[in-house]
PDB file of all heavy atoms in Angstrom:
ATOM      1  N   THR Y 682     134.594  89.406  77.559  1.00 84.00           N
ATOM      2  CA  THR Y 682     133.829  89.531  76.311  1.00 84.00           C
ATOM      3  C   THR Y 682     134.800  89.733  75.151  1.00 84.00           C
ATOM      4  O   THR Y 682     135.946  90.131  75.338  1.00 84.00           O
ATOM      5  CB  THR Y 682     132.866  90.737  76.379  1.00 84.00           C
ATOM      6  OG1 THR Y 682     133.637  91.930  76.620  1.00 84.00           O
ATOM      7  CG2 THR Y 682     131.837  90.578  77.463  1.00 84.00           C
ATOM      8  N   GLY Y 683     134.332  89.452  73.956  1.00 90.00           N
ATOM      9  CA  GLY Y 683     135.179  89.630  72.782  1.00 90.00           C
ATOM     10  C   GLY Y 683     135.301  88.373  71.947  1.00 90.00           C
ATOM     11  O   GLY Y 683     136.144  88.300  71.041  1.00 90.00           O
ATOM     12  N   GLY Y 684     134.493  87.350  72.234  1.00 94.00           N
ATOM     13  CA  GLY Y 684     134.537  86.106  71.483  1.00 94.00           C
ATOM     14  C   GLY Y 684     135.379  85.024  72.130  1.00 94.00           C
ATOM     15  O   GLY Y 684     135.479  83.911  71.611  1.00 94.00           O
ATOM     16  N   PHE Y 685     135.989  85.327  73.282  1.00 95.00           N
ATOM     17  CA  PHE Y 685     136.908  84.385  73.915  1.00 95.00           C
ATOM     18  C   PHE Y 685     136.190  83.189  74.545  1.00 95.00           C
ATOM     19  O   PHE Y 685     136.708  82.067  74.531  1.00 95.00           O
ATOM     20  CB  PHE Y 685     137.762  85.105  74.962  1.00 95.00           C
ATOM     21  CG  PHE Y 685     138.557  86.252  74.398  1.00 95.00           C
ATOM     22  CD1 PHE Y 685     138.227  87.570  74.702  1.00 95.00           C
ATOM     23  CD2 PHE Y 685     139.616  86.018  73.539  1.00 95.00           C
ATOM     24  CE1 PHE Y 685     138.947  88.628  74.162  1.00 95.00           C
ATOM     25  CE2 PHE Y 685     140.353  87.074  72.999  1.00 95.00           C
ATOM     26  CZ  PHE Y 685     140.006  88.378  73.314  1.00 95.00           C
ATOM     27  N   ASN Y 686     135.006  83.408  75.103  1.00 93.00           N
ATOM     28  CA  ASN Y 686     134.290  82.296  75.720  1.00 93.00           C
ATOM     29  C   ASN Y 686     133.772  81.302  74.685  1.00 93.00           C
ATOM     30  O   ASN Y 686     133.830  80.091  74.895  1.00 93.00           O
ATOM     31  CB  ASN Y 686     133.143  82.828  76.583  1.00 93.00           C
ATOM     32  CG  ASN Y 686     133.643  83.450  77.869  1.00 93.00           C
ATOM     33  OD1 ASN Y 686     134.172  82.768  78.730  1.00 93.00           O
ATOM     34  ND2 ASN Y 686     133.497  84.768  77.985  1.00 93.00           N
ATOM     35  N   LEU Y 687     133.260  81.801  73.577  1.00 96.00           N
ATOM     36  CA  LEU Y 687     132.829  80.880  72.522  1.00 96.00           C
ATOM     37  C   LEU Y 687     134.027  80.122  71.950  1.00 96.00           C
ATOM     38  O   LEU Y 687     133.926  78.936  71.639  1.00 96.00           O
ATOM     39  CB  LEU Y 687     132.097  81.627  71.410  1.00 96.00           C
ATOM     40  CG  LEU Y 687     130.569  81.712  71.548  1.00 96.00           C
ATOM     41  CD1 LEU Y 687     129.963  82.509  70.409  1.00 96.00           C
ATOM     42  CD2 LEU Y 687     129.941  80.319  71.606  1.00 96.00           C
ATOM     43  N   GLN Y 688     135.167  80.806  71.825  1.00 98.00           N
ATOM     44  CA  GLN Y 688     136.360  80.112  71.334  1.00 98.00           C
ATOM     45  C   GLN Y 688     136.728  78.976  72.280  1.00 98.00           C
ATOM     46  O   GLN Y 688     137.080  77.876  71.832  1.00 98.00           O
ATOM     47  CB  GLN Y 688     137.536  81.074  71.191  1.00 98.00           C
ATOM     48  CG  GLN Y 688     138.806  80.413  70.670  1.00 98.00           C
ATOM     49  CD  GLN Y 688     138.610  79.756  69.312  1.00 98.00           C
ATOM     50  OE1 GLN Y 688     138.095  80.379  68.385  1.00 98.00           O
ATOM     51  NE2 GLN Y 688     139.001  78.488  69.184  1.00 98.00           N
ATOM     52  N   ALA Y 689     136.651  79.213  73.588  1.00 97.00           N
ATOM     53  CA  ALA Y 689     136.949  78.146  74.558  1.00 97.00           C
ATOM     54  C   ALA Y 689     135.969  76.988  74.405  1.00 97.00           C
ATOM     55  O   ALA Y 689     136.357  75.812  74.506  1.00 97.00           O
ATOM     56  CB  ALA Y 689     136.896  78.708  75.974  1.00 97.00           C
ATOM     57  N   ALA Y 690     134.705  77.318  74.143  1.00 97.00           N
ATOM     58  CA  ALA Y 690     133.701  76.269  73.941  1.00 97.00           C
ATOM     59  C   ALA Y 690     134.034  75.426  72.713  1.00 97.00           C
ATOM     60  O   ALA Y 690     133.982  74.187  72.748  1.00 97.00           O
ATOM     61  CB  ALA Y 690     132.315  76.895  73.801  1.00 97.00           C
ATOM     62  N   PHE Y 691     134.396  76.103  71.621  1.00 98.00           N
ATOM     63  CA  PHE Y 691     134.725  75.366  70.395  1.00 98.00           C
ATOM     64  C   PHE Y 691     135.990  74.528  70.568  1.00 98.00           C
ATOM     65  O   PHE Y 691     136.052  73.370  70.152  1.00 98.00           O
ATOM     66  CB  PHE Y 691     134.901  76.343  69.220  1.00 98.00           C
ATOM     67  CG  PHE Y 691     133.649  77.086  68.851  1.00 98.00           C
ATOM     68  CD1 PHE Y 691     133.700  78.443  68.527  1.00 98.00           C
ATOM     69  CD2 PHE Y 691     132.418  76.449  68.819  1.00 98.00           C
ATOM     70  CE1 PHE Y 691     132.549  79.131  68.177  1.00 98.00           C
ATOM     71  CE2 PHE Y 691     131.264  77.132  68.476  1.00 98.00           C
ATOM     72  CZ  PHE Y 691     131.326  78.478  68.151  1.00 98.00           C
TER      73      PHE Y 691
END
Side-chain angles (χ1 to χ4, degrees):
T682 58
F685 302 109
N686 286 293
L687 267 178
Q688 181 58 50
F691 296 139

